[in-house]
Amino acid sequence: MHGLKVEYCPQEIDTEFQPDPECIKEKMEKAKAVLFESPGNPTSRVIREDIAKLIVDIAYEKKKWVFYDQAYRHIYYEGEHLWIQKYTGADEVVVTIESFSKDLAIPGFRLGYMWGPEEFIKHAAKLKGYLTISASNIAQKLAIIYLEKELKEKYLLKVIPEYRRRRDAAYNALTKYLPEARVVKPRAGMYLFPDVSAYIEKMKVTDVEFAKRIAESKHVVMLPGSAFHPNSNRYLRITFVTEPPERIEEGIKRIREYLEENHVI
Ligand SMILES: Cc1ncc(COP(=O)(O)O)c(C=O)c1O
């Protein structure tokens, strides 16, 4: 709508998907706004504190907006969420984006909200009104029950240990069955984002083709990395929260079977 151009700072597995501070400094010179999420999708990366602070400091000094997407703020297995809103100047520049999708596992409802400086929010609310007048009533009622009856606390206490078991199952199966993949064990979020270049390069296929073949022949569904950014075409996104540990292990085992059948391993 505003004719802005998106510039990216790469996030690669070698730095555990942390963006390079030098890249941030350089890109923020010209930028109007910075958007980042923590924990991330598709990498599950939790932003490093010094990097997050650098972004807020530059934004405050140079009067830029920071959009902080913390949709996964409750989905932690180790450590705690980083609230960048605590930094000096954040109340003037940080717009926080939140969602009910992840807590409640209701992504289809698309119910979320943003909060931040009034100067920004009043315009965002106006724009939202032009796009769609209101969020689904049913979704809003569900969110009220979730918040008022303290279901949030109870629900998260129940699901997080289960998600952790699933995260561990996915990570352990991946390192066991696909030892040439490079993977970071995420301490938050819902996804593994392994670099599978060792396999797809041997097969001479793209990430999209690879994901498609595994889906068709082994009925295991993953998203190819290039769905997120063209440079992420060495990666696959594996969602680990939606299936029990046995099925996650089985799914990853099937990827190995596929590679064996095709003489890649
Ligand atoms: C980081 C992040 N932010 C926001 C969203 C969108 O959430 P919603 O379902 O509320 O549109 C997603 C959904 O996958 C996400 O991964």
Side-chain angles (χ1 to χ4, degrees), residues 26-226:
E26 187 203 317
K27 305 268 182 188
M28 278 187 77
E29 280 295 319
K30 283 203 203 149
K32 298 272 184 209
V34 185
L35 167 67
F36 70 104
E37 358 87 80
S38 183
N41 174 9
T43 63
S44 298
R45 180 276 288 122
V46 173
I47 196 80
R48 229 172 57 203
E49 187 147 11
D50 60 306
I51 297 176
K53 185 160 187 314
L54 174 76
I55 295 172
V56 177
D57 284 349
I58 301 176
Y60 181 53
E61 189 197 326
K62 306 205 162 159
K63 298 287 160 249
K64 323 260 181 187
W65 296 112
V66 176
F67 300 120
Y68 186 46
D69 180 340
Q70 50 176 31
Y72 298 87
R73 72 193 180 288
H74 293 132
I75 316 295
Y76 271 80
Y77 313 112
E78 288 93 28
E80 285 183 358
H81 181 59
L82 177 64
W83 292 86
I84 68 164
Q85 299 81 353
K86 67 186 176 185
Y87 297 137
T88 307
D91 55 339
E92 289 182 32
V93 295
V94 175
V95 176
T96 304
I97 299 170
E98 316 255 13
S99 170
F100 288 99
S101 283
K102 314 301 168 188
D103 280 22
L104 276 162
I106 51 157
F109 276 109
R110 306 248 86 104
L111 187 71
Y113 57 101
M114 52 164 65
W115 54 278
E118 195 183 349
E119 186 196 344
F120 181 89
I121 297 294
K122 70 180 182 205
H123 292 296
K126 208 187 292 169
L127 178 61
K128 163 73 185 154
Y130 288 129
L131 293 171
T132 50
I133 293 286
S134 97
S136 145
N137 285 2
I138 297 169
Q140 292 191 60
K141 287 198 171 151
L142 186 69
I144 290 170
I145 296 170
Y146 178 63
L147 294 173
E148 280 188 350
K149 306 225 160 132
E150 293 179 12
L151 283 181
K152 184 172 141 192
E153 290 68 21
K154 284 186 219 149
Y155 181 76
L156 289 169
L157 273 177
K158 198 167 150 221
V159 295
I160 298 296
E162 182 56 28
Y163 285 0
R164 188 184 292 113
R165 270 193 290 280
R166 295 175 183 197
R167 187 269 321 251
D168 291 344
Y171 179 81
N172 293 341
L174 201 104
T175 48
K176 178 173 165 192
Y177 294 113
L178 304 174
E180 287 179 66
R182 298 171 66 212
V183 64
V184 176
K185 188 174 185 179
R187 60 185 176 92
M190 299 184 166
Y191 318 101
L192 291 188
F193 202 52
D195 169 352
V196 291
S197 46
Y199 301 118
I200 61 177
E201 277 170 16
K202 270 187 219 158
M203 288 180 69
K204 299 192 175 37
V205 291
T206 64
D207 59 331
V208 176
E209 185 58 30
F210 185 73
K212 206 169 137 203
R213 287 190 196 179
I214 302 279
E216 282 171 358
S217 62
K218 295 289 173 188
H219 305 151
V220 175
V221 179
M222 301 166 287
L223 273 185
S226 62

